[in-house]
Amino acid sequence: MLIHSAAVPPFYKNGYVVACEATREAVLIDPGDEVDDLLGVIGRERLKVLAILLTHAHLDHVMGVGRAKAALHVPVWLHRDDLPLYEATVEQGRMFGFAVERPPDIDRFYEPGQSFTFGEYVVDILHTPGHCPGGVCLAIGRAESTARELFVGDTLFAGSIGRTDLPGGSHPTLLRSIRKVLFAFPDDAVVHSGHGPDTTIGHEKRTNPFLVG
Ligand SMILES: [Zn+2]
Ligand SMILES: [Zn+2]
């Protein structure tokens, strides 16, 4: 699995390109204001992106969707429960003091239990509400294996969890999503968060102050 990430101020939100080393097929996750870096990698590495996959529809995770879609011409996927947030992207921008263009329409909504294939890899879509209603985590690994790396958006961070004070957020729902869905993965499963460094499920189980005990 080839993983490229980029983050820029002011949000330092991690966008990811995840590619199959054998076929160069790839998915683009959460293109935000670092989208030009990610498009640069895609061009240089001659990756064939099949889809733009959104973990949720907060401003910092979607403000690069327009540029990504214009460059790649591939479908944009989102959980249906985050459509109201996505449709309010311009208003979200105004809240943070940014003039943001209306993003392109969502092409497809994730279905329960859905998986995608790119090259020799699969992406399992896991609904993990709490940070926002339509939050999902993307579990990616080789098709013939059960090992997965987790792209969790703002559900879980190294040493922290997503905020739940924005519209549609719920602290108990977020804790339930993390415990039921993410903590079902083995301790050595790598976690790629929407902000900050990577971590593992085991490390967060043992040390995350929101989740120990
Ligand atoms: Zn968020
Ligand atoms: Zn974020």
Side-chain angles (χ1 to χ4, degrees), residues 58-113:
H58 280 149
L59 176 71
D60 49 333
H61 297 254
V62 306
M63 56 200 288
V65 170
R67 289 181 65 79
K69 170 113 189 179
L72 302 169
H73 310 288
V74 296
V76 181
W77 289 76
L78 180 72
H79 193 284
R80 188 182 297 275
D81 293 352
D82 259 18
L83 186 60
L85 260 179
Y86 188 81
E87 290 185 328
T89 298
V90 175
E91 289 75 13
Q92 290 191 61
R94 218 172 283 145
M95 245 174 66
F96 285 97
F98 291 96
V100 184
E101 273 179 41
R102 193 186 135 76
D105 288 345
I106 295 298
D107 298 292
R108 312 266 171 78
F109 296 110
Y110 301 124
E111 301 294 336

Side-chain angles (χ1 to χ4, degrees), residues 52-164:
I52 298 165
L53 304 180
L54 303 179
T55 63
H56 66 297
H58 280 149
L59 176 71
D60 49 333
H61 297 254
V62 306
M63 56 200 288
V65 170
R67 289 181 65 79
K69 170 113 189 179
L72 302 169
H73 310 288
V74 296
V76 181
W77 289 76
L78 180 72
H79 193 284
R80 188 182 297 275
D81 293 352
D82 259 18
L83 186 60
L85 260 179
Y86 188 81
E87 290 185 328
T89 298
V90 175
E91 289 75 13
Q92 290 191 61
R94 218 172 283 145
M95 245 174 66
F96 285 97
F98 291 96
V100 184
E101 273 179 41
R102 193 186 135 76
D105 288 345
I106 295 298
D107 298 292
R108 312 266 171 78
F109 296 110
Y110 301 124
E111 301 294 336
Q114 183 163 26
S115 295
F116 292 89
T117 302
F118 63 97
E120 297 171 355
Y121 290 85
V122 293
V123 186
D124 302 321
I125 309 297
L126 312 167
H127 187 205
T128 50
H131 175 63
C132 52
V136 302
C137 293
L138 310 173
I140 305 184
R142 298 193 76 86
E144 76 278 5
S145 158
T146 57
R148 296 287 182 266
E149 296 196 24
L150 303 167
F151 295 80
V152 302
D154 292 353
T155 297
L156 176 65
F157 303 118
S160 189
I161 60 174
R163 62 191 286 185
T164 51

